[in-house]
Amino acid sequence: MEVRSDHDIMKTQGISKVSPAFYEPPQRKTSAEIINEARLAIRDSQQIGDNNFAPPSIKPLQTQRPYTPRDKERLLFGNKVKTNRPPSSFSLRYLQNETELPNTPQDNILFPPNMVTSKTLISPPKSSKISNKLQHQRSNSLSEINDTIFNISIKDPLHKVKLPSLDPNRPLQKRKIFKNTTSLDNLPEESECPSAPQKVESRNAFSSPQERTDFTESNSLFGRPSSKQKNLSQCLLLGPQNLEKIFDNKHIVEHSQTLFLNTVDDKKDRTFEDVLTDLNSENEKNFDEDRVVTLLNELYDCMEKESLNNQKASSKLKIRVLKCLYKFVESQNELILINIAKIILSLKVTGNNLSGVCKLIFKVAKNDKNDNLFFQKNLLELFLDALGRSSPMDDAEACVYGYGAVKFLTMNQKLLDKILGLGILQLMVLHIKLINTAKLEKTSMPEQTNHALFQLTGALRNLISEEHVYDTFISCGAIAQLCQTLETFAFDPDVIANISRTLSIISTNECCCDTIVEYKNIYGVFIDLFDKFAGNEEVIVRLTYTLGNIVAKIDNTRVKFFYEKNAIDSLLKLWKVYLDRTLQNCSMKLDAKEEFSSNSEDVMIKIIRVIANMVINPEVGKALNEKYGTQLIEEIIKVLISNPFKKNEELVLSILSTLNNLSYYYTSDMEIDIFHIKQVDIVEAITEFTKSKNKECVTETMRILGNLSRSKITRNYIAESEVFEILMNLLEKADPTLLKTTVGVFVNLMSDNRSRTLFKTSGGVGKLIKALKNSCDNDWMLYNLVCQVLWNYCIDSVDLHDLFSEKEIHKLLILLADLLDEEKLFGIEEHTDDMDVYVTQEYLIWEEFANVATNLLEKIEYFLDTFDQIVIDNEKTDTNKNTKDSSTNLSFSAW
């Protein structure tokens, strides 16, 4: 029963309270007024505070979150075969022949992930136009947010490539530019001085110093020519200590440190050119892996020391480095690959080179044994910086493998924490927004962008595995963008599956639920997806779980979803799909080795849970019973009487809980009510579960009987069937919750003389007295229900000896006297001035019990005081006792 305050009553009656004038002293409230206000406040909070405006008899239905075991093997698109997807395995050898010339814009602005803010996501600045026709126009890309972020690669073979000089100190007009050069394999030799003759000699662009040395020159450091000098490059490998024996030339020894790149005495003086030359000298097919790893580390250090790993590095230098590194990309040594990737990332590459390095990172990240390699200094920072300079439209392939790698790496908790600290979440949300915007504006989008979105949404699911991320997830606009993607990319089942996984996780958080329902037309989006993916278990089980969480936590969502067009129809349609699928699966005869991958029963649990949580709202509960009650009851009974479902305890419990919440709104005075029409069918269907080994199922069954036993038809059925005996046996159960719900059913049963007689012959009074005596922790609600049963049991009787034995009366007198002793229980004396005790929650609950217990105690005492008049009074009451039941009985509903 709803408790209404005086203010509410006055408001409904059109009475308004006039505030006193500001100069009038405030009226001092009496002690009684203070106590009454406190009682009303606590009762209201008990009734609506904990259960989101739910009566105490109705509670939100909880269930387990759908679980998806992670694949042991890290795959780009999972184990399922998908058409037109990029491969998870690939070769990077093609990069050796496709080294592009990076064209670095003048105003190249980096956009690292940790600089992305929620403000950026809301209103990104407009981009400047790129006038160069050779550069791609990037619509809705990061270039629209930061002026010319990306290095655009020149791919048009009709335009000739210009290579700048590697010497940054030389004047530009003195550099020899070969306009007709299109190949990087055979570049003309540049003149070393302005006065040198303009003779063009062909050489290999990446030849070693040994190949470039001319030993026939007269000014050579090696003195006069010797036939042995033909093999000088081989002799030098012996080391400087052997030169005197080979050449007998002290001049060579004195200058030997300037000739050898492998000098062991002074490594500090080794330069970038020295290390790069060593790497070039390594054989592509047969090289020393440990030496290459050492050289790669040394190369990166030299580049960092000489400031060559930034955007000021010349294009020719970048090409030389890439050409050198790419010959090692097919190595099976992950340490080599990760060091190559770190160097390439430091060059701020674009185009195919960016795609290639993302593939390289992805290749290493595929194996979880390599996770420790990603803790190298600056590696993750460089990698996320590259993603930050990428566009999901123009660099879609790089994003596919880049975010595929992020998805793998975030499976490692330590890497996940580090990547989150670098701002990856904000960057990913920005990229999703760019894709959504392009889709909404119907901008032409490559197919690879869809694949990138799949990897993005898959990686995003890993990022929210920890609840501490939820605040950032909300503040950066991630939820709004995911809801937009649900609506915009409803045609892509893989993307929808990823997002549904994310929503199912975050919907366990109330703040996230609040943000989800802020999205426009979110209920319509859910209903459309229910229709489009009706047969997709992975999607439906998570979307219905998410919706069930939302309507469990937020009361107004119950009303909004209920009145959304086709809302309940869509749920009933889904229910029938998975009900039929479950029955079909169970009817099929399978070999012992064959297993079902179907999870249809879990989907049924999530669907029915949405309805159970919706009807917590009284408006929805009554309307749902009126409009859809017949269909719902038929579907519920169908499950309860079908053997295939009885083994699934969670499904049975969900059905019973839903039935309890629906039956709460049953009123026996409405004969058109579906529960009035179907009450016997329902009781027959749930009788089996009164004997269940699962106490939760038994408890829910008792709650349903408590609701339906308000009808005399149900009470008669219980009295005539085995249910009454089952109820009597349950009175001896020790479980407090089950005991309360069972006693609650007896509150209603004691309205009928037939049930009273059965109760007496079955020893019901003794069992209730035992429950009063043995219950601990002062369970006032249980005591209250027990006293209500006993009150209804004896309300029409004058001679209590007909209903109680003398021993039972004696025990009752002692128990009730102790339980009503305020001084003993709360320290309240006759003239106490302490008002605080009267407004405590325990006292208010005790007071509810005391109202009933006092009446019962007074009735017993009055009977004992007037025992001599029993015979006379009994003759007068026998006539009324046999005609109709007392109208003063207390009633029980769904405790």
Side-chain angles (χ1 to χ4, degrees):
M1 178 178 178
E2 182 181 3
V3 179
R4 304 174 67 193
S5 65
D6 294 337
H7 174 74
D8 294 332
I9 297 173
M10 295 172 67
K11 186 176 179 181
T12 57
Q13 294 176 350
I15 304 172
S16 60
K17 233 178 182 179
V18 180
S19 301
F22 70 91
Y23 52 80
E24 293 182 4
Q27 296 180 352
R28 186 169 184 177
K29 295 180 180 179
T30 65
S31 299
E33 288 176 331
I34 295 173
I35 293 172
N36 285 335
E37 288 181 3
R39 287 172 180 168
L40 289 173
I42 292 179
R43 288 170 187 169
D44 287 343
S45 66
Q46 282 182 308
Q47 189 168 10
I48 65 177
D50 297 334
N51 292 317
N52 296 287
F53 304 98
S57 56
I58 303 180
K59 63 185 190 326
L61 175 59
Q62 303 300 329
T63 186
Q64 296 179 352
R65 182 171 62 82
Y67 172 71
T68 304
R70 292 184 178 179
D71 297 329
K72 295 181 180 180
E73 186 178 0
R74 298 182 177 185
L75 298 175
L76 189 60
F77 289 96
N79 290 316
K80 294 188 177 180
V81 178
K82 298 177 176 67
T83 58
N84 301 322
R85 291 299 196 189
S88 181
S89 300
F90 43 77
S91 172
L92 294 173
R93 189 173 294 279
Y94 73 94
L95 291 172
Q96 298 181 56
N97 300 319
E98 293 191 11
T99 305
E100 296 181 2
L101 173 62
N103 182 13
T104 306
Q106 295 295 325
D107 299 324
N108 197 0
I109 302 175
L110 293 180
F111 197 58
N114 55 8
M115 295 299 292
V116 184
T117 63
S118 58
K119 186 177 295 185
T120 309
L121 302 182
I122 297 173
S123 57
K126 296 181 180 179
S127 65
S128 60
K129 294 183 179 179
I130 302 174
S131 58
N132 191 342
K133 295 182 180 180
L134 296 177
Q135 293 176 327
H136 299 290
Q137 181 64 33
R138 298 170 181 263
S139 59
N140 296 311
S141 68
L142 287 175
S143 61
E144 294 186 0
I145 299 173
N146 294 273
D147 296 340
T148 321
I149 291 175
F150 303 95
N151 296 329
I152 312 299
S153 301
I154 299 176
K155 300 179 181 179
D156 191 345
L158 299 178
H159 296 271
K160 307 307 179 185
V161 178
K162 296 181 179 181
L163 297 178
S165 170
L166 292 179
D167 185 358
N169 297 319
R170 291 176 55 207
L172 182 62
Q173 64 271 19
K174 294 184 179 182
R175 300 175 186 173
K176 185 171 183 59
I177 306 299
F178 296 91
K179 299 182 179 180
N180 296 327
T181 302
T182 59
S183 171
L184 298 178
D185 294 327
N186 293 289
L187 298 178
E189 190 73 65
E190 289 188 6
S191 176
E192 294 298 328
C193 62
S195 60
Q198 302 298 320
K199 181 180 179 181
V200 178
E201 296 180 0
S202 178
R203 68 172 176 84
N204 290 333
F206 303 101
S207 57
S208 65
Q210 291 93 330
E211 294 172 321
R212 298 178 58 183
T213 304
D214 185 358
F215 299 111
T216 62
E217 295 182 11
S218 59
N219 59 351
S220 172
L221 295 175
F222 300 99
R224 62 183 183 276
S226 170
S227 60
K228 294 183 180 181
Q229 291 177 359
K230 295 180 181 179
N231 297 322
L232 179 61
S233 60
Q234 297 177 6
C235 294
L236 295 183
L237 297 177
L238 298 175
Q241 68 276 13
N242 296 318
L243 282 178
E244 187 173 1
K245 297 179 182 179
I246 298 174
F247 295 104
D248 195 20
N249 192 326
K250 294 184 179 180
H251 185 70
I252 295 178
V253 177
E254 292 174 0
H255 294 84
S256 61
Q257 289 187 348
T258 65
L259 301 177
F260 299 102
L261 297 175
N262 224 9
T263 305
V264 295
D265 295 332
D266 191 9
K267 289 187 178 181
K268 294 182 180 179
D269 294 334
R270 282 169 58 78
T271 65
F272 161 78
E273 290 291 345
D274 297 333
V275 181
L276 188 64
T277 301
D278 276 6
L279 278 171
N280 275 319
S281 67
E282 288 292 329
N283 187 289
E284 180 177 345
K285 296 182 179 179
N286 186 19
F287 55 83
D288 185 340
E289 292 185 349
D290 293 337
R291 173 175 164 78
V292 169
V293 169
T294 302
L295 289 173
L296 289 173
N297 282 320
E298 192 176 1
L299 182 66
Y300 181 84
D301 292 339
C302 288
M303 291 174 63
E304 195 174 47
K305 181 179 179 181
E306 298 177 30
S307 299
L308 299 178
N309 55 353
N310 55 45
Q311 292 188 308
K312 294 182 180 180
S314 67
S315 300
K316 189 172 182 180
L317 181 144
K318 292 182 180 180
I319 293 175
R320 291 178 61 209
V321 174
L322 293 175
K323 197 76 174 180
C324 173
L325 297 180
Y326 280 154
K327 69 180 183 179
F328 302 111
V329 293
E330 288 298 307
S331 171
Q332 300 302 312
N333 187 320
E334 288 85 357
L335 191 56
I336 290 178
L337 299 181
I338 206 68
N339 280 285
I340 290 174
K342 184 167 68 172
I343 295 171
I344 297 175
L345 288 170
S346 70
L347 294 174
K348 314 294 183 186
V349 294
T350 60
N352 281 350
N353 295 317
L354 179 59
S355 298
V357 73
C358 286
K359 288 182 177 180
L360 206 57
I361 294 287
F362 172 85
K363 185 176 181 180
V364 179
K366 280 177 65 176
N367 191 337
D368 59 357
K369 295 180 180 179
N370 299 328
D371 286 352
N372 62 304
L373 299 179
F374 288 89
F375 288 101
Q376 289 189 33
K377 177 184 176 183
N378 295 335
L379 176 58
L380 287 176
E381 287 86 343
L382 290 170
F383 176 45
L384 298 188
D385 173 74
L387 285 176
R389 291 181 288 105
S390 304
S391 161
M393 272 70 69
D394 301 308
D395 304 300
E397 186 180 39
C399 288
V400 168
Y401 291 99
Y403 283 116
V406 171
K407 181 173 66 177
F408 294 158
L409 296 177
T410 50
M411 292 179 181
N412 181 304
Q413 185 61 49
K414 292 183 179 179
L415 285 173
L416 170 62
D417 294 338
K418 185 172 182 179
I419 290 174
L420 277 172
L422 295 174
I424 186 65
L425 179 57
Q426 293 88 338
L427 174 62
M428 293 171 72
V429 175
L430 176 61
H431 277 172
I432 293 175
K433 180 171 183 175
L434 293 175
I435 297 173
N436 284 337
T437 303
K439 192 68 177 178
L440 289 172
E441 295 177 355
K442 298 181 179 179
T443 305
S444 179
M445 185 183 299
E447 185 179 2
Q448 287 276 32
T449 299
N450 284 358
H451 305 326
L453 181 61
F454 173 78
Q455 299 303 327
L456 263 168
T457 52
L460 200 61
R461 177 254 176 271
N462 291 349
L463 296 184
I464 42 86
S465 57
E466 299 293 334
E467 193 165 352
H468 66 81
V469 184
Y470 291 173
D471 288 341
T472 307
F473 203 72
I474 294 171
S475 63
C476 72
I479 294 177
Q481 291 306 317
L482 289 179
C483 292
Q484 179 70 72
T485 308
L486 276 180
E487 186 174 12
T488 309
F489 287 85
F491 59 87
D492 192 326
D494 298 324
V495 171
I496 299 300
N498 278 345
I499 298 177
S500 67
R501 288 188 179 97
T502 299
L503 292 181
S504 71
I505 296 172
I506 65 173
S507 63
T508 58
N509 178 275
E510 190 166 349
C511 292
C512 290
C513 286
D514 289 334
T515 309
I516 292 173
V517 298
E518 288 175 1
Y519 182 77
K520 64 182 188 305
N521 193 35
I522 184 62
Y523 307 109
V525 171
F526 272 99
I527 294 169
D528 289 341
L529 293 175
F530 290 161
D531 182 59
K532 290 180 180 178
F533 296 97
N536 189 323
E537 294 179 7
E538 292 184 6
V539 170
I540 296 299
V541 73
R542 289 173 176 82
L543 290 181
T544 50
Y545 174 75
T546 301
L547 183 59
N549 286 341
I550 291 172
V551 296
K553 299 176 187 296
I554 311 171
D555 185 65
N556 65 358
T557 62
R558 301 160 187 159
V559 179
K560 290 181 179 179
F561 182 76
F562 177 76
Y563 288 110
E564 190 75 24
K565 185 179 179 182
N566 296 326
I568 305 302
D569 291 327
S570 67
L571 291 176
L572 289 173
K573 181 181 177 182
L574 287 176
W575 174 266
K576 292 177 180 178
V577 168
Y578 288 95
L579 175 66
D580 293 341
R581 182 176 294 185
T582 304
L583 292 174
Q584 183 180 2
N585 290 342
C586 293
S587 64
M588 294 177 64
K589 294 181 179 180
L590 300 174
D591 296 333
K593 296 181 180 180
E594 189 174 355
E595 295 182 0
F596 274 126
S597 60
S598 175
N599 201 24
S600 55
E601 291 182 43
D602 196 27
V603 184
M604 293 174 65
I605 293 169
K606 273 47 176 185
I607 295 171
I608 200 66
R609 175 173 175 260
V610 175
I611 296 175
N613 291 339
M614 285 177 62
V615 299
I616 291 174
N617 181 279
E619 179 184 349
V620 174
K622 295 173 183 177
L624 199 67
N625 273 355
E626 182 180 344
K627 296 181 180 179
Y628 298 96
T630 301
Q631 298 178 60
L632 284 171
I633 298 304
E634 287 178 354
E635 294 299 322
I636 285 174
I637 292 177
K638 190 185 299 183
V639 172
L640 292 178
I641 65 176
S642 299
N643 287 327
F645 300 107
K646 293 177 182 178
K647 295 180 181 179
N648 190 324
E649 290 186 349
E650 187 180 3
L651 176 59
V652 170
L653 182 59
S654 299
I655 292 288
L656 293 173
S657 297
T658 305
L659 193 56
N660 167 53
N661 288 0
L662 285 169
S663 62
Y664 176 81
Y665 302 103
Y666 162 61
T667 54
S668 57
D669 57 341
M670 292 179 58
E671 294 191 358
I672 60 172
D673 189 284
I674 182 61
F675 285 94
H676 187 81
I677 297 170
K678 292 282 189 178
Q679 57 183 303
V680 175
D681 295 335
I682 294 172
V683 176
E684 287 180 342
I686 66 175
T687 297
E688 179 180 352
F689 302 103
T690 61
K691 299 175 286 186
S692 173
K693 294 181 181 179
N694 187 319
K695 287 187 178 181
E696 290 185 73
C697 287
V698 180
T699 302
E700 289 301 319
T701 306
M702 292 300 108
R703 289 193 174 106
I704 298 169
L705 291 176
N707 291 331
L708 296 182
S709 59
R710 284 174 282 175
S711 167
K712 189 173 181 63
I713 296 174
T714 297
R715 294 199 298 269
N716 287 340
Y717 180 88
I718 293 175
E720 294 172 358
S721 66
E722 63 173 334
V723 178
F724 193 92
E725 183 180 354
I726 295 172
L727 292 172
M728 292 300 301
N729 292 333
L730 289 174
L731 288 179
E732 297 177 335
K733 298 293 182 181
D735 181 76
T737 303
L738 178 56
L739 186 57
K740 281 195 283 281
T741 55
T742 306
V743 172
V745 179
F746 278 103
V747 172
N748 293 342
L749 290 176
M750 292 302 99
S751 299
D752 301 331
N753 287 326
R754 183 175 183 180
S755 296
R756 293 171 185 166
T757 303
L758 289 172
F759 183 74
K760 177 183 177 181
T761 58
S762 302
V765 175
K767 292 180 179 181
L768 289 182
I769 292 175
K770 186 177 180 181
L772 278 176
K773 185 178 180 180
N774 294 340
S775 179
C776 56
D777 298 330
N778 290 336
D779 192 340
W780 301 115
M781 182 176 290
L782 174 61
Y783 300 162
N784 188 359
L785 288 170
V786 169
C787 289
Q788 286 186 40
V789 174
L790 295 175
W791 174 260
N792 284 356
Y793 172 62
C794 67
I795 192 170
D796 293 327
S797 176
V798 177
D799 187 358
L800 294 187
H801 283 154
D802 287 344
L803 303 177
F804 303 95
S805 68
E806 290 187 9
K807 187 177 181 180
E808 290 171 342
I809 291 177
H810 179 71
K811 287 182 177 179
L812 273 176
L813 287 173
I814 296 175
L815 285 171
L816 292 176
D818 287 341
L819 295 173
L820 289 171
D821 190 342
E822 287 184 277
E823 182 177 355
K824 179 180 178 181
L825 293 170
F826 302 102
I828 298 176
E829 298 180 358
E830 186 176 353
H831 301 292
T832 183
D833 295 328
D834 185 8
M835 295 292 103
D836 294 338
V837 68
Y838 293 111
V839 296
T840 61
Q841 186 169 357
E842 183 181 5
Y843 183 85
L844 292 174
I845 298 175
W846 172 86
E847 191 176 41
E848 295 290 338
F849 151 77
N851 290 334
V852 181
T854 301
N855 288 335
L856 179 60
L857 180 61
E858 289 178 350
K859 185 176 180 66
I860 296 174
E861 289 177 341
Y862 179 78
F863 164 74
L864 295 176
D865 291 342
T866 60
F867 182 71
D868 294 338
Q869 301 296 323
I870 288 296
V871 177
I872 299 174
D873 295 337
N874 203 29
E875 291 177 355
K876 294 180 180 180
T877 57
D878 280 342
T879 305
N880 294 331
K881 184 176 179 181
N882 295 326
T883 55
K884 69 173 185 177
D885 297 323
S886 172
S887 61
T888 59
N889 288 343
L890 299 173
S891 63
F892 164 81
S893 174
W895 286 92

